[in-house]
């Protein structure tokens, strides 16, 4: 048996999956206590064996989405709208991931250039619905790459999930996969209620870091990149520019709330977003830096009423694992209007990119298609991947990690998951012509 075939000792039985791990430590024969034995494994270090325990099954469902960021929310809504019973698991107390809790407020990239060199909107479908609802509430500013209010964003995403019939689990973390050979059959989740299992016909990895395809044993690359921490300042509309000694200070960019600005942080480059010690160190360092910068602002005449409203509840990890999927999307694809027979959506461009030795500005950069194959792992069955960890080359990191692209890949993956359940077909063998029609029916734009 391969290491990943029941890492958690899950076994198939005629009545479903029997989970051979329990909630309580068992005692050995004749009343002797079983003992956890510590040992050292070369290349890993000190380890300890966890006693076997039996895990309660929380639910058996059609589609299970792990991660409630933009990709996960879009995936869950799209899947549920197909009629598939859908569970969404989120580790924090809110939906939206870095878009809301991370205070990365711009919805990039809603627009790009078409073949006639006209700038046009490209983000539609579930993501477009979110943007329109927020705009109708007065909770966005600017039409292109709108900046949202994070609390309004949390509310809108909550309501869309509720309306679509998604079954929501907050404060819950996907901790291990349940495998039968190469097929994922569900996920173990951790919460205050303890470890439980959710079994599912299709699983969608929207963790951002590819946690599930990593645990399932699929192949991937790791990209170390910048990690930052966003914060907001209040009373920015009360800055007295006429005060003697006033000078311009870095106070960020506007939000839909006139008195509040959001302040981005590039952060340290080359950071490992999978190293919990590194993440903890950065969290401490960044919050100190933010507070000290705020104090410097307050010392400048005219800024006396400015206050630090909040720091993001999520550290700004921009990239970590990248799936080695059925197709690796390339920079060349995105710069040449490449068409894919299995397109699931289109994204735009927000920053200048170097292409063939030339700098290409957002005003010149083409809209680009995302193929379904880039969401499909090479090995694991019943699993789809959406968000910043789908399959692409590293040169595309600035475009693939943004909110708009996450919404597009999430919508595509969720619709595919729901369709696979309806058609009783493996996600790898899905008829993409049916998928494209379903996406169009759900409001997506495929070009």
């Amino acid at each position: 048996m391969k290491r990943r075939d029941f890492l958690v000792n899950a076994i198939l039985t005629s009545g479903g999956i029997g989970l051979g791990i329990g909630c309580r430590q068992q005692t050995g024969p004749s009343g002797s206590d079983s003992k956890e034995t510590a040992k050292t494994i070369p290349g890993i270090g000190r380890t300890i064996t966890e006693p076997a325990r039996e895990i309660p099954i929380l639910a058996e469902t059609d589609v299970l989405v792990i991660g409630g960021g933009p990709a996960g929310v879009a995936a869950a809504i799209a899947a549920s709208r197909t009629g598939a019973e859908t569970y969404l698991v989120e580790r924090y107390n809110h939906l939206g991931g870095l878009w809301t809790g991370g205070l990365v407020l711009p919805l990039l990239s809603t627009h790009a250039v078409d073949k006639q060199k006209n700038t046009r909107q490209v983000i539609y479908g579930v993501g477009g619905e979110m943007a329109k609802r927020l705009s109708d509430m007065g909770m966005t500013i600017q039409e292109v790459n709108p900046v949202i209010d994070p609390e309004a964003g949390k509310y809108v995403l909550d309501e869309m999930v509720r309306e679509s019939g998604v079954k929501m689990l907050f404060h819950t973390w996907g901790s291990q996969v349940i495998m039968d050979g190469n097929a994922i059959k569900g996920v173990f989740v951790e919460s205050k209620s303890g470890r439980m299992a959710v079994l599912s016909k299709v699983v969608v990895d929207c963790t951002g870091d590819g946690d599930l395809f990593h645990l399932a044993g699929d192949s991937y690359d790791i990209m170390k990149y910048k990690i930052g921490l966003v914060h907001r300042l209040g009373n920015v509309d009360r800055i007295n520019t006429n005060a003697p000694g006033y000078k311009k200070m870095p106070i960020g960019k506007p939000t839909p709330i006139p008195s509040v600005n959001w302040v981005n942080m590039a952060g340290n480059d080359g950071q490992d977003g999978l190293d919990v010690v590194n993440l903890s160190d950065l969290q401490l360092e960044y919050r100190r830096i933010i507070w000290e910068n705020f104090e410097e602002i307050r010392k400048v005449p005219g800024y006396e009423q400015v206050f630090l409203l909040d720091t993001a509840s999520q550290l700004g990890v921009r990239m970590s694992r990248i799936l080695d999927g059925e197709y690796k999307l390339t920079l060349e694809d995105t710069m040449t209007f490449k068409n894919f027979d299995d397109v699931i959506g289109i994204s735009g461009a927000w920053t200048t990119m170097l292409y063939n030795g030339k700098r290409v500005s957002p005003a010149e950069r083409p809209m680009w298609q995302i193929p379904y194959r880039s969401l499909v792992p090479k090995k694991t069955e019943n699993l789809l991947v959406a968000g910043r960890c789908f399959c692409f080359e590293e040169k595309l990191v600035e475009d693939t990690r943004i909110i708009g692209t996450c919404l597009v890949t999430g919508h595509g993956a969720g619709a595919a998951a729901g369709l696979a359940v309806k058609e009783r077909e493996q996600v790898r063998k899905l008829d993409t012509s049916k998928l494209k029609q379903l996406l169009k029916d759900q409001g997506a734009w495929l070009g």
Side-chain angles (χ1 to χ4, degrees):
M1 181 178 291
K2 297 179 181 178
R3 187 186 72 86
R4 70 189 192 89
D5 297 352
F6 305 108
L7 284 169
V8 288
N9 295 333
I11 58 173
L12 282 173
T13 67
S14 58
I17 295 181
L19 305 174
I21 309 183
C23 304
R24 300 181 298 275
Q25 181 174 327
Q26 304 296 316
T27 58
S30 303
S32 61
D33 292 336
S34 63
K35 297 180 180 179
E36 301 88 347
T37 303
K39 59 183 178 181
T40 301
I41 299 177
I44 297 179
R46 293 269 290 169
T47 69
I48 191 165
T49 300
E50 182 180 9
R53 20 175 213 161
E54 293 184 2
I55 304 298
I57 296 175
L58 174 64
E60 298 184 50
T61 189
D62 292 328
V63 177
L64 172 62
V65 181
I66 304 293
V73 176
I77 292 170
S80 189
R81 286 178 177 178
T82 70
E85 183 183 57
T86 304
Y87 272 76
L88 176 58
V89 172
E90 167 54 38
R91 60 175 169 162
Y92 292 109
N93 70 345
H94 60 270
L95 296 173
L98 288 175
W99 191 20
T100 56
L103 300 179
V104 184
L105 305 182
L107 200 178
L108 306 172
S109 295
T110 58
H111 289 65
V113 176
D114 63 19
K115 290 183 179 180
Q116 288 72 44
K117 298 186 177 181
N118 297 316
T119 299
R120 61 157 298 157
Q121 181 179 338
V122 295
I123 302 294
Y124 289 91
V126 175
E129 287 182 46
M130 294 174 183
K132 186 177 187 306
R133 287 199 184 198
L134 287 163
S135 177
D136 290 347
M137 293 167 58
M139 287 292 112
T140 63
I141 53 174
Q142 69 202 41
E143 178 183 355
V144 178
N145 301 333
V147 175
I148 73 164
D149 175 74
E151 293 305 317
K154 294 174 187 177
Y155 166 75
V156 165
L157 270 56
D158 278 355
E159 290 304 293
M160 291 182 68
V161 162
R162 193 195 321 271
E163 292 163 7
S164 66
V166 173
K167 297 183 177 180
M168 190 70 232
L169 292 174
F170 285 113
H171 311 290
T172 306
W173 190 299
S175 60
Q176 186 55 276
V177 293
I178 302 167
M179 302 295 297
D180 177 24
N182 286 333
I184 187 169
K185 295 296 183 179
V187 176
F188 285 114
V189 297
E190 302 278 357
S191 71
K192 284 291 185 179
S193 299
R195 179 177 288 189
M196 294 181 287
V198 180
L199 308 183
S200 182
K201 296 172 184 175
V202 180
V203 178
V204 187
D205 186 343
C206 294
T207 61
D209 296 312
D211 293 340
L212 300 188
F213 66 70
H214 158 67
L215 292 168
D218 236 289
S219 54
Y220 55 86
D221 296 320
I222 293 178
M223 184 177 183
K224 295 183 178 181
Y225 203 57
K226 297 175 183 176
I227 295 178
L229 182 66
V230 183
H231 67 282
R232 292 190 295 174
L233 296 174
N235 279 352
V236 295
D237 57 339
R238 300 185 184 183
I239 296 171
N240 182 7
T241 59
N242 297 317
Y246 166 85
K247 63 180 180 179
K248 192 173 182 180
M249 295 294 287
I251 58 168
K253 297 180 181 180
T255 74
I257 310 302
S259 61
V260 176
N261 276 9
W262 74 287
V263 186
N264 198 16
M265 175 194 285
N268 299 337
D269 201 358
Q271 297 301 303
D272 186 352
L274 304 173
D275 183 340
V276 68
V277 175
N278 182 54
L279 295 176
S280 300
D281 290 344
L282 291 177
Q283 188 76 66
L284 287 171
E285 177 187 354
Y286 288 167
R287 191 170 283 119
R288 175 182 55 80
I289 289 172
I290 288 170
W291 184 262
E292 291 177 354
N293 288 344
F294 160 67
E295 287 186 319
E296 290 301 312
I297 290 172
R298 283 283 296 268
K299 291 177 184 178
V300 177
Y303 291 86
E304 292 84 0
Q305 294 191 61
V306 173
F307 66 94
L308 179 60
L309 177 60
D310 55 2
T311 57
S313 59
Q314 296 180 227
L315 199 62
V317 177
R318 291 178 171 90
M319 191 54 59
S320 55
R321 298 186 186 97
I322 305 175
L323 175 70
D324 180 19
E326 290 288 343
Y327 182 83
K328 180 172 286 189
L329 192 65
T330 68
L331 178 62
E332 180 75 13
D333 294 338
T334 69
M335 289 292 190
T336 57
F337 292 103
K338 182 166 182 177
N339 291 316
F340 295 97
D341 291 338
D342 59 343
V343 56
I344 52 93
I346 294 177
S347 193
W350 71 278
T351 189
T352 298
M353 297 282 275
L354 189 65
Y355 175 63
N356 289 340
K358 296 181 180 179
R359 293 174 62 82
V360 184
S361 72
E364 304 170 289
R365 291 190 53 206
M367 59 190 191
W368 49 281
Q369 294 187 355
I370 301 171
Y372 175 63
R373 287 166 292 159
S374 294
L375 313 183
V376 181
K378 286 183 177 178
K379 300 177 184 177
T380 308
E381 304 294 344
N382 306 336
L383 179 66
L384 290 168
V385 177
R388 68 174 185 243
C389 53
F390 78 102
C391 186
F392 56 88
E393 68 175 1
E394 290 187 6
K395 293 178 183 178
L396 273 176
V397 62
E398 292 299 335
D399 285 342
T400 49
R401 66 181 179 81
I402 55 176
I403 305 301
T405 307
C406 290
L407 290 168
V408 171
T409 57
H411 188 176
L419 182 61
V421 171
K422 182 179 180 180
E423 298 285 315
R424 298 184 179 181
E425 184 60 274
Q426 295 181 16
V427 295
R428 190 181 311 283
K429 298 179 180 179
L430 203 60
D431 184 340
T432 54
S433 65
K434 292 182 179 180
L435 174 59
K436 289 192 290 185
Q437 186 58 55
L438 172 59
L439 286 166
K440 291 176 183 177
D441 292 343
Q442 291 191 348
W445 186 63
L446 307 182

